[in-house]
Amino acid sequence: MSAIALVLKGTGHQVRGSDMKESRYTHLLRNEGVEVIIGHKSSNLKQDEIVVYSAAIPEDNVELAEARKEKFEVIARSDALAQILNSKNGIAISGTHGKTTTTSMVGLLLRGLSLDPTIIIGGELNELGSNARYGEGKYVVAEACESDGSFLKYNPYISVVTNIEDDHIDHYKNYKALEDSFYRFMKNTHKDGFIIADGDCLELKDRKLGKNIWLYGISKENDMYAENIKYKNFGSSYQLVFKRDGNLQRLNVKLSVPGIHNVRNSLAALSVCCCLGLDMGKSVEILQYFTGAKRRFEKKGEKRGALIFDDYAHHPSEVSATLEAAFQDKKNRMITVFQPHRYSRLSNLLGKFGTCFKHSDILIITDVYGAGEQPLPGITGKALVDEIIESGYAKRLAYFPQLDQISAYLDINIEKDDMVLLMGAGDITRVTEDLLKGSKIE
């Protein structure tokens, strides 16, 4: 919502909003000239306003109910984003994993190439210090989230799909419905535009998409691929190979972010530049300055010589990819703290979670962060602990249902050159802050 507000402010609209509490986003918005009211009440509404609401707002919310009663124009956040993206040459980036990082990379590249894009990200880009910016250029780069199907409202010039895996089955009911939704998203691409996808993960030949299709990946069968991949000092490098004007071209790429998953993310971002006909040499130079998005293997500090990282991973594949990347630069022990996110996700993917912590020397599991969901019988952090034990994990394992016990445990147990990763999409980051500040979690 804050990203939408920033972009609408940039287009010249008068923007006001309300939130339940103060946060860094409310401060950011005020600094940009957006009026923010703390607390929801019907008197916050003014005549002649368009009311934009997020999917997190229930229908009985006092402001939303009042807006509908008084016949205000009311639109969902996804509709507002669709209007913004569809008004220019939209570059919509979707996929089960990698959306935020890839969107951030594309935004950085287009800015670095002086194209002045509008950028709307689900997380925060370190180089922006924000999750959005308004640009005067012809491109809008936006993260297209599949979680509730709203990405089908977009008609992008370029659509990107990084991968498709089981997730959000609470909305889609089964994997086939989820997969079909992604292909419908690709079919919405502008007739003169491009569909970009990871050719190692997706099979597009028989889908009759009727668009310009560009595939990237590690396999040499793709239009763009990476070879000679190396990892060092929490970064990576590879040789980029791609086809342009019928010729095979090669460039050396250096990344300041680790892991094969970020190699793939960078290939997706560079594929966008290639399809737009941009200078690939300059694109590669710019990309080495990408330092990541907030909470994507983000180094937060050190504690007695141990490195502390915060990461948003909440799906088994994301957890595995992050731990695999971290393992490349492991010096002493890897200590992982994982907070399961959503009862429905843990229920659907419990078996896959059991085997994704193999690189952790010490593993700490918390109880589930519900994200507004009601608990499901038998679906708890303890159920995940049991699954991990059943899978054969034989290293040190601890279960702390409540967050307020974890920082004290870590404070006693961490050693020099340990790597501590706190992972999850909920409020696990509070432990990170507590560990580094030494303050008590309230």
Side-chain angles (χ1 to χ4, degrees), residues 72 262 354:
F72 280 68
N262 278 318

Side-chain angles (χ1 to χ4, degrees), residues 216 278 336 395:
Y216 66 88
L278 304 177
T336 304
K395 299 177 184 178

Side-chain angles (χ1 to χ4, degrees), residues 377-391:
I379 302 302
T380 63
K382 179 60 166 58
L384 177 55
V385 169
D386 293 341
E387 181 67 29
I388 292 168
I389 294 172
E390 183 68 23
S391 72

Side-chain angles (χ1 to χ4, degrees), residues 25 92-108 119-128 130-131 141-146 160 162-163 262 265 269 290 292-296 312 314 318:
Y25 291 106
I93 296 161
S94 191
T96 308
H97 321 296
K99 292 186 291 291
T100 297
T101 298
T102 303
T103 308
S104 300
M105 285 180 170
V106 174
L108 177 70
I119 303 170
I120 301 174
I121 310 172
E124 290 182 54
L125 175 56
N126 290 335
E127 287 76 14
L128 277 183
S130 174
N131 58 351
V141 184
E143 184 172 334
C145 183
E146 79 283 4
V160 179
T162 58
N163 43 62
N262 278 318
N265 292 336
F290 176 78
K294 293 287 186 184
R295 300 214 63 221
R296 271 65 178 181
Y312 190 70
H314 53 281
E318 295 168 347

Side-chain angles (χ1 to χ4, degrees), residues 171-189:
H171 174 76
Y172 289 100
K173 307 307 178 189
N174 57 63
Y175 177 78
K176 186 180 184 305
L178 170 68
E179 185 182 43
D180 288 346
S181 187
F182 274 106
Y183 285 106
R184 288 169 60 198
F185 165 73
M186 287 184 268
K187 285 182 179 179
N188 287 343
T189 307

Side-chain angles (χ1 to χ4, degrees), residues 55-220:
I57 301 300
E59 281 296 319
D60 61 356
N61 174 273
V62 63
E63 291 182 10
L64 185 57
E66 180 70 12
R68 294 195 191 285
K69 175 185 173 185
E70 296 298 324
K71 308 298 183 185
F72 280 68
E73 183 176 353
V74 178
I75 62 174
R77 175 196 177 275
S78 57
D79 290 314
L81 177 55
Q83 289 183 28
I84 293 169
L85 187 135
N86 296 340
S87 68
K88 293 187 178 184
N89 287 351
I91 301 171
I93 296 161
S94 191
T96 308
H97 321 296
K99 292 186 291 291
T100 297
T101 298
T102 303
T103 308
S104 300
M105 285 180 170
V106 174
L108 177 70
L109 286 167
L110 297 192
R111 284 190 73 204
L113 293 167
S114 302
L115 295 174
D116 195 21
T118 294
I119 303 170
I120 301 174
I121 310 172
E124 290 182 54
L125 175 56
N126 290 335
E127 287 76 14
L128 277 183
S130 174
N131 58 351
R133 76 179 294 273
Y134 171 73
E136 297 286 351
K138 65 180 181 179
Y139 296 109
V140 176
V141 184
E143 184 172 334
C145 183
E146 79 283 4
S147 62
D148 60 356
S150 61
F151 69 157
L152 297 177
K153 298 175 181 179
Y154 311 147
N155 301 112
Y157 178 70
I158 291 180
S159 61
V160 179
V161 178
T162 58
N163 43 62
I164 305 174
E165 276 200 73
D166 279 352
D167 204 4
H168 306 297
I169 302 302
D170 54 318
H171 174 76
Y172 289 100
K173 307 307 178 189
N174 57 63
Y175 177 78
K176 186 180 184 305
L178 170 68
E179 185 182 43
D180 288 346
S181 187
F182 274 106
Y183 285 106
R184 288 169 60 198
F185 165 73
M186 287 184 268
K187 285 182 179 179
N188 287 343
T189 307
H190 191 277
K191 62 182 177 64
D192 297 321
F194 293 88
I195 294 171
I196 297 173
D198 189 324
D200 298 340
C201 301
L202 279 74
E203 179 56 64
L204 303 185
K205 293 179 182 178
D206 299 327
R207 287 287 178 164
K208 298 179 182 179
L209 296 172
K211 307 288 192 310
N212 300 312
I213 296 175
W214 177 276
L215 302 179
Y216 66 88
I218 309 303
S219 168
K220 293 183 179 182

Side-chain angles (χ1 to χ4, degrees), residues 306-319:
L307 299 179
I308 313 299
F309 292 89
D310 198 21
D311 195 88
Y312 190 70
H314 53 281
H315 185 282
S317 295
E318 295 168 347
V319 172

